[in-house]
């Protein structure tokens, strides 16, 4: 048990560097990835994913010279590990035969990565820090199309040293990211231009191309920039055949001791060919001194078009990128970043410190922090209209399962608490665009937005969960106008369930009709997944109706909720968990009549029947997160989630038989989506039943923690992160149907459950009820329009520090140690408080802002 705040340190080395690809880029900008060895890989900046796509001849290189003139040149990566097979050996575009450094370690705490290199011949101590600005709730600062690299060089000797670090970068304008690796000669390339630019203290190379037209999806530009004063550069390597260009560059770099002879002027590359440019930064290090050398890569590819839908109304249509509306060139984006770097970096480091210098378990911080990177991956778009839109995940060369899939994004929590304005933009799409007049919500979005909606049956779980998410967005923001705007769609979407032939046509509060769901099939008959989400939607709608003054509607929803909760237990509770009653009806059953269970052999395909479904309590987990409390009696909820862990958690999968997709295997641990502990497994259960999904693992783990089963929940988290160890899987890529799968954003719920922090903007109430028994307890918190840290010790002293934004606070719900004698101080000045109903009420309410520190003591003697 940690006794004090200590920074998280997870160091990858050796074989555990193999799978690492750390995404660098902004929200909706695409990314490039920093490999575990220091290589640049997975260039996904060309308006679609690009797993495995490397830019040829693109790498960092260094030259180090001691005072006696002895030189040392290396590609600044650790050595390439086996295997070395291939029809022609390793790809020449990665210059695998050039000397590299012996080894390195990698530490990643998103959004920062640190690499430390080791080589007995290296005369300096060398490390690399890479990051992107990441400021929760500040979308603009967090959506910059840049990747920042800072090389740190220390001279440990008593002799002076000269140092050069350079970046070689291919001009990629015209590439699609779909090309085969290993070659830089493509039909798309040609008439590429690298130009040298200087602007005040900034200098670097702008990369453009004349071949793509301004309307082309591959039109754009890139910039390589620094503010370091002592530089040299080459705009292009020698244009020669075979490998003469690379040979010439290496020889010149070594012979010139890293000082490049600049080209006299820029010139267009020949057709089907591009140029590699190199920017070199030079420094002289006195004995025992150090230096930091900065590089910034920026890009602008403005013409995102819909390549993923087949509907002619949207196929090939322009959508655009938000970042391209802010900057007219990559140079402008790079300039903006450098001009604001001090503030951007300061706030980014404040967030990093708040998250990782926590007393939560390190593997929880791993799960929470690593999956934030999904928001910066090609899974998430920030389109030209400023709205967030998203795939479920990413294939190697295209987005997977477009767009804004309601049932998958039900599980995702990170964006709602880090960038709530983005989630509100999606709710506007859901309820003001995708909800038809009859309440049928299109659970996927066609882009660009048009009168044409996606033609498919509605998703019962997605539609009900989206109502819960609308409630989440309102309680996070307190924005009454937002609530008024989405309310008509919420009412239509909820009451769609009551229509003839719909999910609850008998209006008994339980879904019986055909229910399309996240398993890509239809459940027939009452089941816990859809019906508990339905109960949550009824409760959320009740609260929103009351807030808007629709009291008759609120009463109606409450009655339906209470009726449905009792009916659900009556129908589905088996003493351990909630099962499914499989029927063939599509119109429900007469109210208060028991649906007729079919014989097992007569059931429709792809049901779960008597099985124990891992996410049967998804609606209850969401209700805990958004502050709606228990949807069913706690005794049933606690027993059911315990049963999920008992029956579905497998510490060792070596005896598990599955012919489905494989996300965990051998001696790895995992949570199966469904088991049949008492038999009656259908001959063909629902697809994916035997699989392991990290997004559901985190959801179940978080729910276990909410119910007091902390060690059980943490066992699941450890299992997930042990599988993503850098050797077997990339720690920054949890996949399901695609890379960077959105469901894994459920990991943010771990922080919420362990911290017990919840803010309600409509009531200006903050709950701080930690479930993790560290002393002191320290953790990041968010409060709708602000974030900071909470520190609570067993003596009964609470400190709340605001690190960004502002929010209003009227009441705080605290652990039992606080009582009537509690005192409070703001900036060491006493403030008036009263204690009533286990809550501390501030009189008057406070408006807390950046830099404020609120200190609350359980008694005057603790102050």
């Amino acid at each position: 048990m940690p006794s004090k705040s200590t920074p998280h340190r997870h160091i990858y080395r050796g074989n555990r560097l193999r799978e690492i690809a750390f995404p660098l880029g902004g929200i909706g900008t695409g990314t490039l990835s920093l490999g575990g060895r220091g290589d640049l890989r997975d260039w996904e900046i060309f308006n679609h994913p690009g797993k495995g796509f490397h830019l040829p001849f693109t790498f960092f290189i260094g030259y180090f010279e001691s005072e006696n003139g002895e030189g040392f040149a290396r590609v600044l990566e650790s050595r390439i590990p086996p295997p070395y097979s291939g029809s022609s050996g390793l790809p020449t575009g990665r210059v695998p035969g050039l000397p590299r450094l012996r080894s390195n370690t990698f530490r990643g705490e998103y959004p920062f990565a640190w690499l430390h290199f080791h080589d007995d011949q290296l005369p300096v101590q060398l490390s690399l820090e890479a990051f992107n600005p990441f400021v929760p709730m500040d979308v603009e600062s967090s959506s910059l199309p840049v990747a920042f690299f800072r090389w740190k060089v220390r001279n440990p000797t008593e002799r002076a040293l000269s140092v050069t670090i350079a970046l070689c970068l291919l001009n990629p304008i015209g590439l699609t990211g779909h090309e085969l690796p290993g070659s830089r000669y493509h039909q798309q390339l040609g008439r590429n231009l690298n130009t040298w630019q200087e602007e005040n203290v900034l200098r670097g190379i702008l990369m453009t191309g004349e071949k793509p037209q301004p309307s082309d999806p591959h039109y754009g530009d890139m910039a390589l920039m620094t503010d370091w004063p002592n530089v040299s550069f080459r705009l292009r390597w020698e244009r020669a055949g075979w490998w003469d260009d690379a040979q010439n560059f290496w020889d010149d770099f070594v012979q010139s001791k890293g000082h490049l002879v600049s080209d006299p002027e820029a010139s267009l590359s020949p057709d089907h060919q591009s140029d590699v440019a190199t920017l070199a930064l030079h420094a002289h290090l006195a004995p025992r001194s150090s230096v930091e050398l900065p590089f910034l890569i920026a890009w602008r590819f403005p013409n995102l078009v819909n390549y993923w839908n087949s509907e002619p109304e949207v196929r090939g249509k322009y959508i655009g990128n938000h970042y391209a509306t802010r900057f007219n060139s990559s140079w402008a984006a790079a300039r903006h970043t450098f001009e604001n770097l001090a503030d951007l970096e300061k706030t980014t480091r404040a967030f990093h410190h708040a998250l990782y210098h926590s007393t939560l378990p390190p593997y929880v911080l791993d799960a929470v922090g690593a999956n934030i990177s999904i928001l910066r991956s090609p899974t998430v778009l920030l389109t030209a209209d400023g709205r967030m839109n998203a795939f479920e995940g990413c294939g190697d060369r295209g987005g997977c399962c477009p767009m804004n899939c309601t049932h998958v994004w039900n599980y995702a929590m990170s964006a709602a608490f880090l960038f709530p304005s983005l989630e509100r933009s999606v709710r506007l799409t859901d309820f003001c665009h995708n909800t038809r007049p009859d309440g049928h919500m299109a659970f996927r979005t066609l882009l660009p937005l048009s009168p044409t909606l996606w033609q498919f049956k509605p998703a019962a779980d997605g539609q009900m969960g989206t109502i819960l998410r609308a409630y989440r967005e309102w309680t996070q923001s307190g924005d009454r106008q937002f609530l008024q705007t989405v309310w008509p769609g919420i009412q239509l979407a909820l009451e769609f369930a009551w229509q003839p032939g719909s999910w609850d046509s008998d209006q008994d509060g339980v879904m019986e009709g055909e229910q399309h769901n996240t398993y890509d099939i239809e459940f027939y008959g009452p089941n816990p997944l859809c019906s508990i989400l339905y109960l949550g939607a009824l409760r959320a709608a009740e609260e929103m109706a009351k807030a808007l003054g629709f009291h008759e509607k609120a009463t109606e929803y409450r009655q339906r909720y209470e009726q449905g909760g009792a009916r659900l237990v009556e129908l589905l509770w088996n003493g351990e968990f909630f099962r499914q009653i499989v029927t063939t009806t599509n119109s429900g059953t007469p109210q208060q009549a028991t649906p007729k269970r079919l014989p097992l052999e007569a059931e429709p395909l792809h049901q779960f029947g008597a099985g124990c479904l891992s996410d049967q309590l998804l609606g209850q987990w969401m209700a805990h997160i958004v502050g709606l409390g228990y949807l069913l009696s706690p005794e049933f909820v606690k027993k059911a989630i315990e049963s999920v862990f008992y029956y579905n958690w497998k510490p060792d999968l070596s005896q598990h038989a599955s012919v489905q997709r494989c996300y965990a295997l051998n001696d790895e641990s995992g949570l199966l989506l469904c088991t049949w502990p008492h038999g009656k497994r259908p001959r063909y259960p629902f697809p994916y039943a035997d699989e392991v999904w990290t997004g559901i693992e985190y959801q179940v783990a978080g729910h276990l923690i909410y119910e007091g089963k902390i060690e059980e929940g943490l066992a699941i988290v450890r299992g997930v992160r042990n599988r993503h160890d850098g050797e077997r899987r990339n720690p920054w890529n949890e996949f399901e149907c695609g890379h960077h799968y959105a469901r894994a954003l459920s990991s943010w719920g771990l922080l919420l459950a362990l911290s017990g922090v919840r803010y309600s903007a409509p009531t200006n109430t903050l709950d701080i009820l930690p479930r993790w028994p560290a002393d002191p307890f320290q953790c990041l918190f968010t409060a709708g329009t602000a974030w900071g840290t909470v520190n609570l010790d067993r003596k009964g002293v609470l400190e709340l520090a605001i690190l960004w934004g502002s929010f209003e606070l009227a009441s705080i719900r605290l652990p039992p140690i606080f009582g009537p004698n509690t005192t409070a101080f703001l900036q060491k000045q006493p403030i008036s408080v009263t204690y009533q109903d286990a809550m501390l009420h501030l009189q008057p309410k406070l408006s807390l802002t950046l830099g404020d520190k609120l200190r609350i003591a359980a008694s005057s003697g603790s102050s």
Side-chain angles (χ1 to χ4, degrees), residues 387-701:
R387 297 193 185 200
M388 182 173 81
N389 293 280
F391 298 96
E392 293 180 24
C394 304
D396 287 352
R397 291 294 183 270
C400 175
C401 308
M403 179 68 64
N404 303 344
C405 178
T406 57
H407 47 60
V408 169
W409 277 85
N410 274 344
Y411 300 76
M413 291 293 160
S414 304
F417 292 91
L418 290 170
F419 301 100
S421 66
L422 294 183
E423 283 284 7
R424 290 198 298 275
S425 77
V426 185
R427 298 295 82 74
L428 292 172
T429 301
D430 290 331
F431 291 110
C432 302
H433 180 79
N434 281 343
T435 301
R436 296 172 170 88
D438 66 352
H440 169 180
M441 178 187 291
F443 71 87
R444 298 188 188 278
T445 301
L446 294 180
L447 294 179
L449 297 180
S450 71
T452 301
L453 298 183
W454 192 56
Q455 297 298 314
F456 196 76
K457 64 187 69 176
D461 56 346
Q463 193 152 322
M464 295 300 111
T466 302
I467 294 170
L468 273 162
R469 288 187 285 153
Y471 179 76
R472 178 189 65 189
E473 270 63 270
W474 172 56
T475 56
Q476 281 288 291
S477 66
D479 186 340
R480 186 176 179 84
Q481 182 177 355
F482 164 78
L483 182 59
Q484 291 171 328
T485 302
V486 297
W487 174 253
I490 291 172
Q491 185 176 344
L492 287 170
L494 180 62
E495 297 182 13
F496 174 79
W498 306 343
Q499 295 184 14
S502 189
W503 305 312
D504 183 25
S505 58
D506 62 1
Q507 300 184 36
D508 68 346
V510 174
M511 289 188 171
E512 299 97 356
E514 176 187 286
Q515 300 150 66
H516 188 74
N517 60 76
T518 196
Y519 297 109
D520 298 327
I521 45 83
E522 288 66 50
F523 285 153
Y524 295 98
N527 68 86
L529 172 63
C530 297
S531 281
I532 296 177
L533 281 165
Y534 179 31
L535 295 180
L538 287 164
R539 277 287 291 118
E542 175 198 351
E543 295 298 324
M544 291 184 282
K546 285 193 294 188
L548 293 174
F550 303 126
H551 298 292
E552 289 185 5
K553 275 294 173 188
T555 299
E556 182 181 11
Y557 297 150
R558 181 73 186 195
Q559 291 173 344
R560 191 65 39 81
Y561 154 74
E562 291 177 349
Q563 181 185 22
R567 183 74 169 142
L568 182 76
V569 172
E570 175 190 347
L571 291 174
L572 304 185
W573 182 247
N574 72 353
E576 293 183 292
F577 53 84
F578 295 98
R579 64 191 189 278
Q580 177 195 16
I581 294 178
V582 181
T583 70
T584 57
T585 177
N586 190 37
S587 57
T589 59
Q591 191 167 351
Q592 303 305 320
T594 300
K596 183 179 179 181
R597 180 184 294 276
L598 296 172
L600 190 63
E601 64 275 8
E603 289 182 356
L605 288 176
H606 305 145
Q607 308 298 294
F608 68 94
C612 181
L613 188 68
S614 278
D615 61 345
Q616 62 184 271
L617 295 167
L618 172 63
Q620 180 60 75
W621 173 74
M622 294 180 73
H624 280 327
I625 285 176
V626 302
L628 287 172
Y630 282 97
L631 302 176
L632 299 164
S633 296
E635 60 182 293
F636 298 118
V637 172
K638 293 177 184 293
K639 181 62 177 177
I641 198 65
E642 290 173 11
S643 297
V644 167
F645 180 79
Y646 183 77
Y647 290 125
N648 295 11
W649 169 248
K650 306 299 178 184
D652 186 316
L653 289 166
S654 57
Q655 301 304 310
H656 174 58
S658 173
V659 298
Q660 299 170 8
R661 300 172 305 180
C662 193
Y663 303 119
L665 71 163
N666 299 333
D667 60 349
E668 295 177 332
S669 56
L671 185 79
L672 302 181
L673 296 190
C674 196
T675 61
W676 286 263
H678 307 305
K680 298 184 179 179
R681 174 185 167 112
R683 181 70 181 87
Y684 298 108
F686 70 89
Y688 321 133
D690 295 323
E691 295 181 1
V692 171
W693 294 355
T694 68
I696 289 180
E697 288 180 294
Y698 290 137
Q699 175 251 314
V700 170

Side-chain angles (χ1 to χ4, degrees), residues 32 43 45-46 53-56 58 169-179 184 186 188-194 205-209 211-212 218-224 269 273-277 297-301 330:
L32 62 94
W43 290 77
I45 62 176
F46 305 109
F53 180 68
H54 291 69
L55 283 186
T58 295
L169 179 63
L170 175 77
N171 182 329
I173 309 306
L175 293 183
T176 66
H178 289 174
E179 292 80 10
R184 61 189 164 116
H186 307 285
Q188 297 90 337
L189 292 175
R191 301 188 63 77
N192 295 82
L193 183 64
N194 299 333
I205 299 167
L206 177 65
M207 296 182 167
T208 58
K211 199 169 185 178
H218 313 302
Y219 172 82
D221 55 79
M222 285 182 62
L224 172 57
S269 68
Q273 184 177 339
S274 190
D275 290 315
V276 179
I297 298 175
W299 56 90
R300 183 180 186 270
F301 294 91
S330 57

Side-chain angles (χ1 to χ4, degrees), residues 309-317:
N309 282 116
S310 59
E311 289 84 352
E313 295 88 350
V314 296
R315 178 74 179 180
K317 296 294 179 63

